[in-house]
Amino acid sequence: MFPQEQHSNAVHRFRIDCTGLCQCGRMNNSKSAINHKRRRPTRIIRCIYVVGFMDLFGVSMIIPLLSHHVKSLGASPTVAGVVGSTYGVLQLFSSTVVGSWSDVVGRRYSLLTCLLLSAFGYGLLGLSTSISLFVLARIPVGLFKHSLSICRALLSDLVSEKERPLVMSYFNAASSVGFILGPVVGGYLTEHEGGFYLSSFVCAAIFLLNAGLVWMLPWSETLNHCVDANANSKTKPSKSYNEVKNSVQQNCSDKNHIRHPNASAVRSQTNRGWGWRDMSVVQSAWRQLTSVWIQIRMVASSDMWDVFLVRLLMAVSIMLYYSNFSLAMEERFQLKPKVTGYLISYSSMLGALAGCLVGPVTHLYGNNMSALLLHSTALTCTLIFLYATAPNVWQVLLTSTFFAISTNIGRTCITDLELQRGGAQASGTLIGAGQSVTAVGRVLAPLLSGLAQEVSRCGPPSLGVVLGLLAVGLLFMRTPKWDSKTKLKDKGENHSK
């Protein structure tokens, strides 16, 4: 509930948003009015797709050029490796914190902050004429390049649980297309004099443009959608105005912010709209840190170790598949790097297009994400095995075709399952924690790949098969428990209705 001193303002704002809804509740055409309002978030969702596309489009312009640039600055291979790992280490420790922070201060403020500071980092990268400046430029990017995670948390806030896998898959597809097209533009710019610096400034400009788009998003639609969704699912025409008001106010605030002792200030700001001045006056840095710490503790103490362990095992397994792909193609099948590049691009395009398949597949499974995750993980494990034992390049092409589809579906499933288990109230914290787990995989995969290559050139994918089998076995043991919890949750929701 709202604090007493803000009660009158909240009621006034609520009446403005819900006058049409309450009138429709007294009439027979209430369903059409509600459905009309619930279509409104489509505009902001499409804008978020654009933000995701532009984000990875800008980043992928820079990623292929980083190693070459740091070596051109005079760094030895060892120093270049240490410098290159700076971003991953910072991401490992900042993902959960920034995700939880977005739950506390709101998506708009946190997303704008991350985009602007990332733009600053990439702009500074365009001025990096020494190794020290290069490392300095990677720090703000490593700490605050979490715009995609916040976008996923925002999408989770805007859609229902059944719609979430489809929306997430479309977002992943849009981001993947940006990641495919970015290197093409970056390679073209590199051919000019000072191409790396030009690419860095273009990337910074893209992030500034993204920040402007986020600033202009119709954020008022998020509250309207929350009112409409709650009234459509939890209220009846016979309920009084006060009952509808109290229910929607409580559930809208809880959907965007996890419940904690300092949530009252957060909820009041949610309904008034965030502003830079309000942020500095109402909610101090100490209160934000306290709220973030509470949410991280809640996730750490929850019974979600199995979901995160599955994510870690499959992340390392997939990274081992890609770790020495180009070298293995050259040694095993005498493929030229150009042909291998075509094969990788083909797989990436299929991964982007696989987002269109998630909707029909989840519908086929009746939105049973745990079963879908089990089957997609088993398929991924099988495909890695077929790749490791492939006698010719045509089998590699076949495995690459289905591998891109299975990994895309699995990535969507594991994210949705984390949100189901942890609750949408802490979506930013949960998605950030998942990204931290994936960052651990990025640290472990190169080490394990190097050790496996000492044994055999097919060692990395073979080790990936072993890790995938461990993930499948864990899912076999834990899926019945997850299904039972989901059934109990559905029964409780049906009983409350």
Side-chain angles (χ1 to χ4, degrees):
M1 298 297 294
F2 288 94
Q4 184 65 30
E5 61 271 19
Q6 295 173 342
H7 180 74
S8 58
N9 291 335
V11 171
H12 176 68
R13 291 176 180 273
F14 183 83
R15 284 174 177 170
I16 293 176
D17 290 332
C18 294
T19 300
L21 176 62
C22 293
Q23 290 175 349
C24 290
R26 301 186 186 100
M27 300 173 62
N28 293 329
N29 61 347
S30 60
K31 185 179 295 185
S32 61
I34 291 172
N35 290 336
H36 173 73
K37 282 193 172 185
R38 293 195 71 180
R39 285 195 296 268
R40 285 185 179 181
T42 302
R43 183 171 57 166
I44 191 172
I45 288 173
R46 289 175 178 172
C47 291
I48 296 171
Y49 293 161
V50 175
V51 171
F53 167 81
M54 294 175 62
D55 187 291
L56 280 191
F57 177 77
V59 170
S60 61
M61 291 172 53
I62 299 297
I63 289 179
L65 311 177
L66 291 176
S67 298
H68 177 74
H69 179 68
V70 72
K71 289 181 180 178
S72 69
L73 296 177
S76 64
T78 302
V79 173
V82 173
V83 171
S85 64
T86 303
Y87 175 82
V89 173
L90 291 174
Q91 287 272 297
L92 169 63
F93 292 102
S94 62
S95 294
T96 306
V97 175
V98 174
S100 179
W101 184 59
S102 73
D103 288 332
V104 173
V105 303
R107 311 296 181 211
R108 184 184 189 184
Y109 180 86
S110 57
L111 187 53
L112 282 172
T113 302
C114 288
L115 289 171
L116 291 174
L117 289 176
S118 297
F120 171 75
Y122 286 114
L124 191 60
L125 192 64
L127 302 174
S128 59
T129 55
S130 64
I131 297 177
S132 58
L133 278 177
F134 184 90
V135 175
L136 183 63
R138 298 299 285 166
I139 291 176
V141 177
L143 290 175
F144 293 99
K145 176 57 185 72
H146 301 291
S147 45
L148 293 180
S149 298
I150 298 176
C151 284
R152 291 188 178 96
L154 178 58
L155 290 173
S156 176
D157 296 340
L158 292 175
V159 299
S160 65
E161 189 171 302
K162 291 184 178 181
E163 297 170 326
R164 188 169 57 206
L166 180 62
V167 172
M168 290 291 187
S169 66
Y170 285 164
F171 178 79
N172 292 335
S175 303
S176 299
V177 172
F179 195 80
I180 294 169
L181 298 179
V184 178
V185 178
Y188 172 77
L189 294 176
T190 308
E191 295 180 356
H192 298 77
E193 184 178 357
F196 176 81
Y197 302 105
L198 178 60
S199 299
S200 299
F201 288 130
V202 170
C203 180
I206 289 175
F207 273 80
L208 289 175
L209 185 62
N210 246 357
L213 177 60
V214 169
W215 178 264
M216 294 185 295
L217 287 179
W219 292 95
S220 59
E221 291 183 2
T222 59
L223 179 60
N224 292 337
H225 170 77
C226 202
V227 170
D228 296 334
N230 196 67
N232 191 35
S233 61
K234 294 186 178 181
T235 61
K236 298 178 181 180
S238 60
K239 283 194 173 184
S240 65
Y241 168 78
N242 288 330
E243 289 175 326
V244 176
K245 176 193 70 176
N246 294 336
S247 175
V248 176
Q249 284 178 347
Q250 183 67 36
N251 284 283
C252 284
S253 58
D254 289 344
K255 185 176 179 65
N256 289 296
H257 302 283
I258 192 171
R259 297 177 183 174
H260 51 74
N262 297 319
S264 59
V266 177
R267 284 197 284 263
S268 63
Q269 287 296 334
T270 301
N271 289 275
R272 290 194 296 157
W274 273 101
W276 297 90
R277 184 178 300 175
D278 296 335
M279 181 63 207
S280 60
V281 173
V282 176
Q283 196 168 28
S284 64
W286 174 252
R287 181 172 294 179
Q288 292 179 45
L289 291 174
T290 304
S291 302
V292 168
W293 174 246
I294 290 172
Q295 293 193 82
I296 293 176
R297 283 181 58 189
M298 291 177 66
V299 172
S301 60
S302 63
D303 185 24
M304 293 186 60
W305 63 269
D306 44 9
V307 182
F308 289 129
L309 183 55
V310 170
R311 173 184 277 272
L312 177 62
L313 291 172
M314 290 309 300
V316 176
S317 179
I318 294 170
M319 291 174 192
L320 287 173
Y321 173 90
Y322 287 114
S323 60
N324 69 332
F325 189 83
S326 298
L327 180 61
M329 290 298 98
E330 183 178 358
E331 292 182 351
R332 294 172 61 186
F333 309 111
Q334 291 74 48
L335 284 185
K336 295 181 179 180
K338 183 178 180 180
V339 179
T340 304
Y342 289 150
L343 184 59
I344 295 175
S345 299
Y346 165 74
S347 178
S348 300
M349 285 299 300
L350 285 179
L353 295 175
C356 301
L357 299 176
V358 174
V361 172
T362 53
H363 180 72
L364 179 65
Y365 275 77
N367 289 293
N368 188 349
M369 303 307 293
S370 57
L372 180 56
L373 177 62
L374 173 60
H375 295 162
S376 65
T377 302
L379 176 60
T380 301
C381 183
T382 303
L383 292 171
I384 297 176
F385 174 77
L386 292 175
Y387 160 70
T389 59
N392 52 61
V393 70
W394 297 109
Q395 185 166 319
V396 175
L397 179 63
L398 180 64
T399 57
S400 298
T401 301
F402 292 98
F403 187 79
I405 298 173
S406 67
T407 52
N408 187 286
I409 293 176
R411 185 167 60 249
T412 303
C413 288
I414 194 67
T415 300
D416 191 77
L417 199 58
E418 288 169 356
L419 294 173
Q420 283 184 18
R421 295 283 307 282
Q425 295 88 351
S427 55
T429 307
L430 293 166
I431 293 176
Q435 294 303 311
S436 293
V437 172
T438 304
V440 174
R442 293 193 186 101
V443 175
L444 294 177
L447 175 62
L448 295 175
S449 176
L451 295 175
Q453 287 184 66
E454 294 290 341
V455 179
S456 169
R457 61 186 179 185
C458 296
S462 300
L463 181 57
V465 173
V466 175
L467 297 179
L469 288 175
L470 291 175
V472 171
L474 181 60
L475 286 171
F476 263 117
M477 291 186 296
R478 304 296 292 182
T479 297
K481 181 179 179 181
W482 298 346
D483 291 340
S484 62
K485 288 185 176 181
T486 302
K487 290 179 181 179
L488 289 175
K489 178 182 175 182
D490 293 339
K491 287 182 180 179
E493 290 178 352
N494 294 331
H495 180 71
S496 63
K497 291 178 182 180

